[in-house]
Amino acid sequence: MHLSKTLVLRSREGSLVSKTTVDSEITQAVRKIVADAVSLWAIETSDFIVIRDLYPVSVKLPISKEQYDLYSKYDMSRTTNGSVMFNVPVYVISFDNEWQEDDYVDREVIVVAPVVDEKVEEIITELAIEATKPKEAEPDEELEEDE
């Protein structure tokens, strides 16, 4: 039996800080990373949150037998537009975050996902970067001039 690989991405304020692959099943990897991340937690100012999500990935057909074998582990289905869709489990560990008015903002996260293939890795990397991008400042209504 071959050991599964797990992708570990760390993102801070819209930039990828690190990207590693560990030789471990995702569940064991997540438990270890969560335990390690507790020491990074900004305990006075932030919540410590682990969110498990299924991230939908779509790949255009045709796919190779190898791709089929990889993707079929993740609840793969065929779509009507000539693609296959499958759901990759993604864990987001947030340890440096804050509330900004009604918005929850992650300054730094660790994203953990199974290594599937290069396409999935690109998608998950983009997800990790987007998760910590600073929110666009909306024009403040109070700055409008009085008439």
Side-chain angles (χ1 to χ4, degrees):
M1 184 191 133
H2 80 290
L3 200 55
S4 297
K5 291 187 180 294
T6 300
L7 179 65
V8 182
L9 304 164
R10 187 165 168 181
S11 168
R12 182 185 305 123
E13 294 175 351
S15 299
L16 197 61
V17 177
S18 67
K19 179 180 192 172
T20 55
T21 304
V22 293
D23 290 321
S24 173
E25 290 289 332
I26 189 155
T27 51
Q28 281 83 22
V30 168
R31 284 193 174 100
K32 181 181 182 333
I33 294 159
V34 166
D36 293 346
V38 169
S39 66
L40 302 170
W41 178 19
I43 196 166
E44 299 294 326
T45 56
S46 298
D47 295 327
F48 188 91
I49 304 167
V50 181
I51 297 171
R52 178 185 179 274
D53 201 5
L54 290 172
Y55 199 75
V57 176
S58 177
V59 177
K60 282 264 180 240
L61 290 169
I63 58 172
S64 67
K65 174 165 179 5
E66 289 79 14
Q67 285 173 303
Y68 179 86
D69 292 344
L70 286 170
Y71 303 160
S72 60
K73 295 179 202 164
Y74 302 104
D75 194 25
M76 182 174 69
S77 61
R78 207 175 179 136
T79 64
T80 53
N81 65 356
S83 298
V84 289
M85 179 75 98
F86 53 98
N87 294 308
V88 179
V90 175
Y91 296 82
V92 178
I93 303 158
S94 175
F95 52 89
D96 185 0
N97 48 61
E98 67 179 357
W99 280 98
Q100 290 178 355
E101 291 163 30
D102 296 339
D103 234 354
Y104 194 76
V105 179
D106 286 310
R107 283 191 293 267
E108 189 168 4
V109 298
I110 298 172
V111 176
V112 185
V115 170
V116 180
D117 65 8
E118 218 169 278
K119 174 163 178 57
V120 173
E121 190 172 309
E122 284 170 20
I123 291 167
I124 303 301
T125 301
E126 186 60 30
L127 171 76
I129 292 167
E130 287 296 320
T132 61
K133 271 206 174 140
K135 299 277 186 267
E136 293 298 311
E138 290 181 23
D140 201 341
E141 286 93 42
E142 293 169 24
L143 296 178
E144 289 175 19
E145 288 181 33
D146 292 337
E147 291 177 28

